[in-house]
Structure formats: C-alpha cells, structure tokens
Amino acid sequence: MACPEAMGGGGASIYEQSLVYEELGWGSSGLALSLVVSQIPFLALSAHASADLQDQYLRPYLEDRQAEFIGCYPVTEPAHGSDLFFIGNPVHGGRSEWSLARLNYETNAYLDERRNEWVINGQKAQWITNTSIATHAFVLAALQAGGSAGFLVPLSTAGVERGVALEKLGQREMNQAGISFKDVRIPYDHMLIGPGDYQRFISNAFGNAYILIGAVCVGIARAALEEAVAFCKARVQGGARLVEHQDVQRRLMDLFAEVELMRAYIRSLARYHSDAAKTRLMHYSAVARGHVSKQAFKVCSDALDLFGHVGFSKGVLIEKLYRDARMTRMMGGAGTVAQLRAAQEFFS
Ligand SMILES: Cc1cc2nc3c(=O)[nH]c(=O)nc-3n(C[C@H](O)[C@H](O)[C@H](O)COP(=O)(O)OP(=O)(O)OC[C@H]3O[C@@H](n4cnc5c(N)ncnc54)[C@H](O)[C@@H]3O)c2cc1C
C-alpha cells in the first residue's frame, strides 16, 4: 500500500493508509499492527536501495499474494528499550554527555573488507513483532566504526536464531519473539541506512508509524463504542433496557464524542503529513500517538463498565478490546517516553 506506484506499490498517502488502518484496527488491532511492522524492511528497500537490490527483494514482495514475504523490525534489546529514541541524538535533558556518548545498540556490525560483507552480532528483545514468522528483517545496529545503521537481513541467513512466539496480555493475533545474530554475514549493499541518514530515517519511520498506530487506536475505540451501544440496547435489567436510562445515554454519548475527537485528531495529522512539501513533524506524531493510545484504553475501560459482570468474561469481545487497547501504550516505545522525545523537538 505505501510503496510508490512506479515500483508497483499502491502509492497510498499516509492519510489514505490511516483510513485503511482504522478499519483494520476495528477488526483486529493485532493483525493491523502486524501489517504496519511487516512492511518496514520493504519500505526501507523502496526508499534506500539500489535498483538491483529492489529487483531482488522488493519486486517479489510487491507481487506476493500468499504472504510469502513478512517483515520484522528488530530494534529493542534486553538492555535498550525506550532509550532507542535518544540513540545518536545529541539532546536529552537529564543525561550527561558521558552517558549519551555510551548510548547505542549492543547489536553491532563491522565491515569485513576482504569479502565486502557486513558481519552482525548481538541479541534483540523478546518483543520483536512478527519475528517467528518473518522472512526479512530491517535490523538497527551500532557500527563498530561509530554511529548507528539499518541493515536488510534475509532471515534464512546462517547465524540468525529466533525464539518461539510469546503468550501475552492482548493483541494475540500479533506474533512476538526474540531474535539473535551470531556472525551473520550480509553483502555490503544490504546496509540501507548509514550513520549520516540514521536520525532522519528514525524520525520519518516513527513519525509515520505513530500515525498508523493512532489510526489503529481509533479503530479499537470505535469497536468498543459499537459493542457498548449494541449491549446497552439488548440488555434488560430492572424491567428496562440499559439504553433507556438517561445516564447510560449520556455515558454512551461521552464515548461517541471521544471517538470522534480521536479520529479528527489522527486524520488532520495524517492529512498534514501526506503533503510531501511539508516538513515531517515527529513531535506531533509522538504526542498524538501518546494521547490517542491513552484515550483508546479509557474508551474501552468506560465501555467495559457498561457491561456489568458480563464484560469480565472470556469470549466477550469488549474484554478483548480492553486488553488490546492496553498494549498500544508500549508499542514503538513507551508512550510517556515518546512524549519526552517529542519535547526535545518542541523546545529545541
Ligand atoms: C505490542 C508490542 C510490539 C512491539 N514490537 C516491537 C518491534 O517490532 N520491534 C522492537 O524493536 N520492539 C518492539 N516492542 C518493544 C517496544 O519497543 C518496547 O517495549 C518499548 O520501546 C519500551 O521499552 P521497554 O519495554 O524496554 O521498557 P523501558 O524502556 O524499560 O520502560 C519501562 C518504564 O520506564 C519508563 N521509562 C523508561 N525510560 C524513561 C525515561 N528516560 N524517563 C522516564 N521514564 C522512563 C517507561 O515509561 C516505562 O513505564 C514491542 C512492544 C510491544 C508492547
């Protein structure tokens, strides 16, 4: 959907993508977010690879109709989580120059000049989306020569090891597992992002991903509202349907207003970012995603209250939506820390 039309992709603007992701999020936020992540290696190829490399990987991906190409994006590590926002970034209130200089991925790469290959070593966290089912990764790592970079790694390469999928609180349709690299060798041109482009890449990648995560949150909240309305229309208690109580109507209209506001917020941001002439504003996306994910959880929680004891039962959709909404607060970095990163841009 997001790859340029000239290459055979859908050429959808971030605004058009956000409309699709709201619908997908309404149906299954886990599947929707799995798709957001799956495209990352291929989007990096579409923007940063040679024509030869695009022929090798991107064309077959764009022609794939059987999900034979699935991407993952290993960034976080056992000892690096939210701080990924600050890697290679010179401004971070509260941290000394000394600690900033030491901040980088433990996963590292060096160039074997004799064979013209990058050699990658290191371990990523247990929480890398799609990992146990993915075919290709876009791995962020430290260069032994200095700086950070992004590498395309076909996961059939020798030395790649993957864990089994985690059992988790919500979004269980989305696969999460660990991944490690032991002397993994890839050709020189598989480094798609070098240290010079790294900050710009991170800003754009998170700026766009946050809009899509926000759209998925709108979908979750809308589903919760619809479930609550349907339940309140059907449930008879004390001789009246719940929806006949004026206070229940007020609570439903509060949820309705919240969903409308979330949607308007994300759509206006997506519309702004769809205009290629405008500067990408990462802090707007980070703050929007932080706010909207918090509101999605609040809408699900308030909707769940309307179900009485029924809402706590397994197999009732509102219970799943509540768990799913909770997960969106942490994906792509803790919401609170993403806002600290946004503050850097806002106040600099
Ligand atoms: C559904 C889901 C999907 C994910 N998919 C991926 C993926 O595809 N690829 C990937 O690389 N990772 C993925 N992750 C991992 C995710 O990026 C991390 O969970 C996130 O970056 C937070 O890191 P952490 O879990 O180590 O928490 P930590 O960074 O250790 O944070 C723990 C707590 O400390 C607070 N905190 C941390 N730093 C600061 C600070 N500087 N100031 C104030 N408070 C702070 C945080 O707000 C949080 O409450 C995924 C996570 C989830 C939940």
Side-chain angles (χ1 to χ4, degrees):
M1 185 163 50
C3 285
E5 267 178 312
M7 292 177 182
S13 68
I14 193 76
Y15 175 68
E16 291 164 330
Q17 293 172 54
S18 77
L19 303 183
V20 175
Y21 276 103
E22 179 187 326
E23 295 306 312
L24 289 172
W26 174 86
S28 160
S29 58
L31 179 63
L33 291 169
S34 165
L35 292 173
V36 170
V37 174
S38 182
Q39 63 182 344
I40 290 174
F42 306 101
L43 287 178
L45 275 163
S46 77
H48 303 282
S50 64
D52 279 355
L53 216 55
Q54 288 177 349
D55 279 347
Q56 190 181 346
Y57 296 108
L58 186 60
R59 195 177 297 279
Y61 164 73
L62 292 172
E63 288 167 0
D64 176 21
R65 298 290 178 270
Q66 305 296 325
E68 282 169 1
F69 288 77
I70 299 176
C72 68
Y73 185 41
V75 182
T76 48
E77 299 182 344
H80 291 289
S82 308
D83 58 333
L84 69 93
F85 291 114
F86 304 109
I87 286 176
N89 192 313
V91 200
H92 181 12
R95 290 192 77 144
S96 67
E97 289 295 323
W98 177 80
S99 70
L100 267 179
R102 294 173 68 240
L103 191 59
N104 209 336
Y105 303 106
E106 276 157 36
T107 303
N108 64 80
Y110 70 88
L111 183 63
D112 177 345
E113 287 183 18
R114 205 172 46 85
R115 291 170 59 173
N116 208 24
E117 288 174 341
W118 292 103
V119 185
I120 303 178
N121 280 288
Q123 188 186 351
K124 293 293 183 179
Q126 297 297 311
W127 275 83
I128 312 298
T129 297
N130 294 340
T131 290
S132 80
I133 56 170
T135 54
H136 295 79
F138 189 59
V139 182
L140 299 189
L143 292 183
Q144 282 188 2
S148 318
F151 300 88
L152 177 76
V153 180
L155 294 181
S156 53
T157 313
V160 174
E161 278 201 16
R162 296 186 259 180
V164 291
L166 286 179
E167 290 193 16
K168 58 193 207 294
L169 175 75
Q171 290 177 341
R172 293 174 180 163
E173 310 89 309
M174 179 166 59
N175 170 286
Q176 253 96 27
I179 185 164
S180 63
F181 306 89
K182 190 162 190 302
D183 291 328
V184 171
R185 288 180 167 269
I186 49 166
Y188 179 75
D189 62 357
H190 284 45
M191 182 176 92
L192 303 184
I193 305 289
D197 298 325
Y198 179 80
Q199 278 306 321
R200 216 169 97 82
F201 169 79
I202 286 286
S203 218
N204 276 341
F206 280 108
N208 283 343
Y210 284 166
I211 292 174
L212 302 183
I213 295 174
V216 169
C217 289
V218 177
I220 301 175
R222 195 182 99 208
L225 168 66
E226 290 174 13
E227 283 302 294
V229 170
F231 181 80
C232 292
K233 281 182 173 172
R235 162 86 169 141
V236 176
Q237 178 259 133
R241 291 185 303 145
L242 286 183
V243 78
E244 291 170 42
H245 298 295
Q246 205 176 21
D247 190 53
V248 169
Q249 292 174 10
R250 181 193 61 76
R251 287 161 71 187
L252 288 171
M253 293 321 287
D254 277 352
L255 297 183
F256 175 76
E258 201 52 65
V259 174
E260 290 294 308
L261 284 169
M262 289 166 66
R263 180 187 291 121
Y265 189 5
I266 291 300
R267 285 196 185 171
S268 74
L269 188 65
R271 213 177 272 121
Y272 178 90
H273 278 245
S274 290
D275 183 344
K278 297 212 169 116
T279 318
R280 300 258 156 205
L281 296 169
M282 201 274 199
H283 56 286
Y284 274 86
S285 300
V287 170
R289 173 267 171 157
H291 181 76
V292 168
S293 60
K294 195 161 63 185
Q295 291 312 103
F297 183 58
K298 183 172 183 318
V299 167
C300 289
S301 176
D302 291 352
L304 189 124
D305 274 341
L306 286 159
F307 283 71
H309 66 273
V310 174
F312 302 118
S313 316
K314 266 192 172 174
V316 176
L317 184 55
I318 193 67
E319 182 261 353
K320 175 186 187 296
L321 293 169
Y322 176 83
R323 289 187 286 103
D324 287 353
R326 186 64 189 84
M327 303 290 294
T328 61
R329 294 288 294 147
M330 201 55 72
M331 190 178 189
T336 46
V337 186
Q339 284 181 256
L340 294 179
R341 173 67 174 78
Q344 278 191 346
E345 286 191 20
F346 194 68
F347 296 114
S348 65

